[in-house]
């Protein structure tokens, strides 16, 4: 492995840990209806945004002489997209709390379940950076399929609740946008897992 490669992979792993950390704070903010955990999430998002360009540049340069680094080139950008969707979730949760918008118990359970699934995905994605493991990669890929399937089912059930008048339209918009951001996070996490083992 090229000189400096291990430090780069360690830096990528740290970005993965920041994403995990942010997800945990989003979950806490949502469950406890509190905006304060969101500040910690915003800090993690800013660090990821600031580190991405340099990491992408250095990985691209090193990969020219070290083919083993090629699968990692797109990883910082995927983490950037994950952080952007986490920022979207932060803003939606912030709006929900500040405007005192209530979700049904069903909607709260559904979002909480999907947040748990994202937490289950993000840890193995980080681990894959330091230790390529086909089993971990397959776990992440299957988890993404599950998240998307559940989110799509929840969206359909939610439309039915909306039609029946069991859900308010302004709460509905936040809920649907949260589902979209969750699916995007899962997709980018899956892409990292696929790319890393692509040349194993």
């Amino acid at each position: 492995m090229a000189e400096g490669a291990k430090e780069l992979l360690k830096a990528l792993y740290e970005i993965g840990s920041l994403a995990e950390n942010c997800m945990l704070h989003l979950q806490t903010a949502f469950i406890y209806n509190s905006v304060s955990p969101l500040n910690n999430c915003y800090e993690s998002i800013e660090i990821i945004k600031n580190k991405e360009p340099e990491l992408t540049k250095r990985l691209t340069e090193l990969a020219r002489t070290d083919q083993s680094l090629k699968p990692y080139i797109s990883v910082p950008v995927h983490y950037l997209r994950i952080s952007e969707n986490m920022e979207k979730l932060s803003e939606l949760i912030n709006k929900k709390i500040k405007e005192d918008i209530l979700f049904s118990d069903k909607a709260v359970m559904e979002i909480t379940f999907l947040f748990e699934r994202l937490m289950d995905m993000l840890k193995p994605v980080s681990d894959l950076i330091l230790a390529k493991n086909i089993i971990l990669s397959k776990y992440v890929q299957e988890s993404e399929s599950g998240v998307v399937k559940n989110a799509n089912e929840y969206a359909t059930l939610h439309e039915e609740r909306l039609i029946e008048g069991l859900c308010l339209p302004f709460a509905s918009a936040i809920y649907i946008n949260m589902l979209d951001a969750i699916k995007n996070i899962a997709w980018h996490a899956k892409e990292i897992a696929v790319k890393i083992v692509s040349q194993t």
Side-chain angles (χ1 to χ4, degrees), residues 46-198:
E46 279 310 302
I47 295 169
I48 293 170
K49 283 182 176 179
N50 291 333
K51 288 192 172 186
E52 181 275 322
E54 182 62 21
L55 274 173
T56 301
K57 183 182 168 207
R58 289 180 63 203
L59 280 164
T60 305
E61 286 168 357
L62 273 183
R64 290 190 189 115
T65 54
D66 186 345
Q67 292 295 305
S68 70
L69 290 174
K70 276 184 83 174
Y72 297 93
I73 292 173
S74 64
V75 172
V77 175
H78 284 299
Y79 271 125
L80 177 66
R81 300 289 170 256
I82 286 170
S83 74
E84 288 168 352
N85 281 282
M86 286 179 170
E87 188 169 29
K88 185 179 169 186
L89 282 174
S90 296
E91 287 162 1
L92 291 165
I93 293 168
N94 193 38
K95 182 180 173 70
K96 178 187 176 298
I97 294 166
K98 289 195 169 170
E99 295 181 18
D100 202 24
I101 297 167
L102 297 176
F103 277 12
S104 67
D105 288 347
K106 184 90 174 132
V108 170
M109 282 172 62
E110 288 163 356
I111 295 290
T112 303
F113 174 79
L114 291 173
F115 277 0
E116 282 289 339
R117 298 292 70 77
L118 287 181
M119 286 295 295
D120 288 346
M121 285 181 74
L122 290 171
K123 177 71 177 107
V125 170
S126 297
D127 291 341
L128 271 164
I129 291 165
L130 296 182
K132 285 186 179 187
N133 183 308
I134 199 97
I135 294 165
L136 277 183
S137 177
K138 282 182 178 172
Y139 173 79
V140 173
Q141 291 174 56
E142 286 168 12
S143 296
E144 188 260 352
S145 298
V147 166
V148 171
K149 181 173 173 285
N150 281 305
N152 288 338
E153 281 174 8
Y154 295 161
T156 303
L157 292 169
H158 179 75
E159 281 171 28
E160 289 169 9
R161 291 200 294 270
L162 193 60
I163 291 162
E164 290 166 16
L166 301 172
C167 183
L168 298 169
F170 50 84
S172 175
I174 291 175
Y175 178 83
I176 293 299
N177 282 323
M178 286 183 81
L179 289 182
D180 285 342
I182 286 166
K183 287 193 287 185
N184 288 338
I185 290 167
W187 187 84
H188 285 287
K190 180 262 295 178
E191 284 298 295
I192 294 171
V194 170
K195 294 281 192 310
I196 287 175
V197 298
S198 64

